[in-house]
Amino acid sequence: MDNFRIISKSLLLLIALTCTQFAYGQERWTFEELAGLAEQRSHQKSQMDSQLELVQIEKQMLKSTYLPKLELAGGYAAFRSDMELQTRSLLTPHLGSVLPALEQLPIPISPDIIPETSKFSMGNNYWGANISANMVLFSGLKVPRYMKALEQKKSVVNAQKEMHSTELLLEFASYYDRALLIRQSEEVLVNAAERLDRQKLTAESAFGNGLIPRHELEKITLAMLKLEAKQEELANSKSILERKLSQLTGVKDLRLDQLEINSAERKVQLDGGFEDRAELKALNSAYEAEQWKYKAIKSNHIPKVAAFSGFRYDQIGNVTIYPSAYVGVGLKWEIFDGLHTNHAIKKAKVEQRMLSERIAETEELLALAEEKSIQDYRQSEVQLKLSRKATEIADKQLEIAKKEFSLGLIKLSELLTAESDYQEAMLEWTQALYNQRQAALKVLEGKGRLSMDQLAIQ
């Protein structure tokens, strides 16, 4: 029963490795296709695209500084005023010369006939309209300098997008290398299961003929259980990786067997430096942007020139102030702004100094990372050659052990040891190939060359 179970499991795994496309009837996926899907689904990339949109809007707003500004103002007002005059006290002093004559009249007139107060009202309507235009002719160099700063800000965002694409490509290539490691490890374990199954048949025959004791036969069962544990561990790793790839790409139920993977070791050129790293591009562009902002702030004390014109109409009651037009050029020179510009200049200088220090620090770190990646790559090349040689030796030893066991020269336990050594050597070789491919990725990243073309992965 155990024999049948091992054979069935091995055959099913072998079919999955060699005939997946026909068994599942689904398309194969290249690295370029899935990496493209992952980049399209990146929320971070979408945010950076939005940042580029904002930069473009800021540039348009800045350009609109030179566009004419038109203003139209108009209004209607009705007013009424009630007034009260102290008539008697106002008029009596002016009647002194005629009062004696008035008192001689048949009916004497006294100043008392003048009312103590007099009330009356007055009011009117007002109509008015004004249209004016003004346009900046010279901004004191602020607009062109801020425009240069925005261009550098755009370069910063583009460099950040490049950084994100590199990180995403590195992550995805690492998953692909992991998929290759799992696929090759599966193949090693399938072949090991087939060999153990044949050895078990031989051992059972030998046990039946009394050639080996039972505890020797049980050692094969133990070896099969260990192999089954490795297969289970590998299956779990495969399931997790498949879910991660599905999450990144949006492809539902993506399986590793659908991936087209180039299984060769990855070769890279070690010449050149890290000057093409996107991190340096972003920092240098940010520094340039700060320089232009600094120059724009310093131009605050340069006079600004603007043209203006207008047309006005006013009417109060029946009185019309005939429409008048005006046109002219004005100059604005801010001589003292309460030290605001002075403080802004100091702040800009500090920000430039901070960016300069960040650039220097980043260059040091990138140089160290590049050197380490080159050393790791060279070490991985040596380790890959060593593991390849170890598999050749282990393969020969296994073949010798098979012949010696068939001739009765060695025990079954010695054959199982040779089998275990070969299995471990093959697994170590697959791990060494994975490490070499990963080390090559780090070199490409360290030199700023990580791209779809450089990867050469199908």
Side-chain angles (χ1 to χ4, degrees):
M1 186 68 180
D2 290 341
N3 184 44
F4 176 76
R5 180 168 54 84
I6 294 295
I7 293 175
S8 300
K9 191 168 185 179
S10 299
L11 286 175
L12 286 173
L13 189 53
L14 184 60
I15 290 172
L17 289 170
T18 57
C19 305
T20 303
Q21 187 173 6
F22 300 101
Y24 295 103
Q26 292 194 11
E27 63 182 315
R28 309 282 288 182
W29 291 96
T30 66
F31 177 83
E32 291 87 345
E33 291 170 338
L34 289 179
L37 290 175
E39 188 164 1
Q40 290 176 12
R41 285 173 58 83
S42 171
H43 299 297
Q44 210 169 337
K45 179 179 177 296
S46 299
Q47 292 175 5
M48 292 177 182
D49 288 336
S50 297
Q51 289 179 10
L52 286 175
E53 276 189 65
L54 289 176
V55 172
Q56 189 61 31
I57 292 172
E58 289 177 4
K59 289 174 67 176
Q60 292 172 352
M61 292 172 62
L62 202 54
K63 289 179 181 178
S64 67
T65 302
Y66 293 114
L67 295 179
K69 277 80 174 173
L70 298 177
E71 292 183 0
L72 176 62
Y76 164 77
F79 60 92
R80 178 182 178 85
S81 178
D82 294 327
M83 295 190 301
E84 180 177 292
L85 294 178
Q86 301 296 322
T87 313
R88 181 176 298 171
S89 60
L90 181 65
L91 296 179
T92 300
H94 301 286
L95 296 177
S97 58
V98 296
L99 278 176
L102 292 176
E103 292 175 353
Q104 299 300 321
L105 293 174
I107 301 176
I109 298 177
S110 170
D112 295 337
I113 66 171
I114 301 174
E116 183 72 29
T117 60
S118 298
K119 296 180 179 180
F120 61 94
S121 301
M122 63 179 295
N124 217 325
N125 297 321
Y126 167 78
W127 297 84
N130 179 61
I131 182 170
S132 63
N134 62 82
M135 181 175 67
V136 174
L137 300 178
F138 178 65
S139 66
L141 300 178
K142 289 186 70 173
V143 171
R145 288 175 176 177
Y146 274 122
M147 190 68 72
K148 292 284 188 180
L150 285 176
E151 286 291 339
Q152 294 301 322
K153 183 178 179 181
K154 180 180 177 181
S155 298
V156 171
V157 179
N158 282 326
Q160 290 173 343
K161 281 185 65 177
E162 184 181 343
M163 287 170 55
H164 175 64
S165 296
T166 298
E167 291 169 359
L168 190 61
L169 199 57
L170 179 64
E171 180 185 15
F172 208 77
S174 298
Y175 290 143
Y176 246 69
D177 287 351
R178 175 69 62 178
L180 175 62
L181 174 62
I182 291 174
R183 181 180 294 182
Q184 291 178 328
S185 299
E186 283 179 333
E187 187 175 356
V188 170
L189 297 183
V190 165
N191 293 333
E194 291 177 347
R195 287 192 301 272
L196 281 175
D197 182 66
R198 289 194 296 268
Q199 291 166 7
K200 185 175 183 181
L201 290 175
T202 303
E204 286 176 344
S205 176
F207 174 74
N209 294 324
L211 299 177
I212 60 172
R214 176 174 292 278
H215 72 270
E216 287 287 314
L217 184 62
E218 290 176 347
K219 288 181 180 179
I220 287 191
T221 303
L222 179 60
M224 286 184 167
L225 289 174
K226 289 181 179 179
L227 182 62
E228 188 175 349
K230 289 181 180 179
Q231 289 175 327
E232 184 66 26
E233 182 182 0
L234 199 61
N236 291 336
S237 298
K238 180 178 180 179
S239 175
I240 293 173
L241 183 56
E242 287 174 338
R243 291 177 62 183
K244 182 62 179 180
L245 288 174
S246 292
Q247 175 192 351
L248 279 174
T249 62
V251 178
K252 189 177 180 181
D253 299 328
L254 181 63
R255 292 185 300 277
L256 300 190
D257 305 316
Q258 295 174 260
L259 308 183
E260 294 183 5
I261 308 178
N262 182 349
S263 59
E265 59 183 283
R266 195 175 279 133
K267 295 293 185 180
V268 294
Q269 297 293 327
L270 300 181
D271 58 333
F274 54 84
E275 294 78 12
D276 292 334
R277 286 288 293 257
E279 293 93 324
L280 279 181
K281 294 179 184 177
L283 287 173
N284 286 325
S285 294
Y287 183 78
E288 289 291 326
E290 286 298 328
Q291 283 189 319
W292 284 111
K293 285 172 62 178
Y294 170 75
K295 292 177 181 179
I297 293 171
K298 286 188 68 177
S299 65
N300 281 348
H301 294 312
I302 299 177
K304 285 75 175 174
V305 180
F308 58 89
S309 63
F311 184 84
R312 184 171 188 84
Y313 172 85
D314 295 283
Q315 180 178 354
I316 303 177
N318 295 324
V319 179
T320 300
I321 302 175
Y322 288 100
S324 59
Y326 57 90
V327 63
V329 175
L331 177 111
K332 181 181 179 182
W333 194 351
E334 197 170 65
I335 299 174
F336 181 72
D337 62 357
L339 298 178
H340 174 78
T341 298
N342 187 48
H343 294 321
I345 288 174
K346 290 181 179 178
K347 180 183 176 183
K349 285 183 177 179
V350 172
E351 290 174 344
Q352 285 185 53
R353 187 170 64 249
M354 291 171 61
L355 275 171
S356 181
E357 291 171 354
R358 282 184 60 190
I359 291 172
E361 180 187 20
T362 302
E363 286 177 342
E364 293 174 1
L365 293 175
L366 291 180
L368 183 62
E370 182 196 25
E371 181 62 28
K372 184 179 185 302
S373 70
I374 292 174
Q375 292 179 2
D376 290 345
Y377 175 74
R378 287 173 174 162
Q379 181 64 32
S380 70
E381 291 269 276
V382 173
Q383 193 62 40
L384 184 60
K385 290 179 182 178
L386 179 62
S387 62
R388 187 181 293 115
K389 187 64 177 179
T391 59
E392 294 174 1
I393 295 173
D395 183 39
K396 290 179 181 178
Q397 289 178 338
L398 179 59
E399 290 301 318
I400 293 172
K402 288 179 183 177
K403 292 178 181 178
E404 290 179 339
F405 178 75
S406 65
L407 296 174
L409 299 177
I410 62 172
K411 296 180 180 180
L412 179 60
S413 59
E414 294 176 285
L415 175 61
L416 292 177
T417 298
E419 165 62 36
S420 177
D421 290 344
Y422 176 70
Q423 183 187 129
E424 289 300 320
M426 288 298 296
L427 290 175
E428 287 178 5
W429 174 79
T430 60
Q431 183 66 48
L433 177 60
Y434 170 80
N435 293 340
Q436 189 276 338
R437 289 167 66 93
Q438 287 291 290
L441 285 178
K442 289 294 184 181
V443 172
L444 291 172
E445 181 199 21
K447 294 183 177 296
R449 300 176 187 169
L450 189 59
S451 64
M452 200 72 72
D453 295 334
Q454 286 287 343
L455 286 177
I457 298 179
Q458 297 181 352

